[in-house]
Amino acid sequence: MIYEQRHWARVQQVARKALCELATGNAETPTDAVEAVGDGLGPARRADSAWLVEMIDDRLDDQERTELLKAVRSEAGSA
């Protein structure tokens, strides 16, 4: 159970970063986005991360996508 919790925690971390890559246009597909940010991921985490990014991206409407993009740009500006 501990392994599964760590697995999904890491998947969520990667998915958050990958979603930003996808929103900013740095990646064309969820798989490309995960590969861009998921250095050293095994095949299971990579696949689960890409699946999660795809699921979230499919559910975002235009307003939510715009808000995500603003947040990403704001974060990048403050870093």
Side-chain angles (χ1 to χ4, degrees):
M1 185 157 129
I2 298 288
Y3 172 79
E4 190 171 321
Q5 289 173 336
R6 282 189 290 170
H7 171 85
W8 285 105
R10 180 70 176 131
V11 164
Q12 289 174 11
Q13 288 174 336
V14 170
R16 279 187 204 101
K17 292 177 184 176
L19 195 56
C20 293
E21 290 292 308
L22 200 58
T24 57
N26 292 336
E28 291 184 26
T29 67
T31 303
D32 292 342
V34 168
E35 287 177 6
V37 299
D39 227 14
L41 284 182
R45 285 187 179 149
R46 191 170 40 250
D48 286 343
S49 296
W51 170 81
L52 187 56
V53 170
E54 184 176 359
M55 295 300 291
I56 293 169
D57 188 52
D58 286 346
R59 291 191 169 127
L60 289 175
D61 63 25
D62 289 339
Q63 181 181 355
E64 291 169 326
R65 196 174 316 284
T66 300
E67 289 173 11
L68 175 64
L69 198 50
K70 282 182 188 175
V72 168
R73 288 182 176 153
S74 173
E75 245 181 57
S78 66

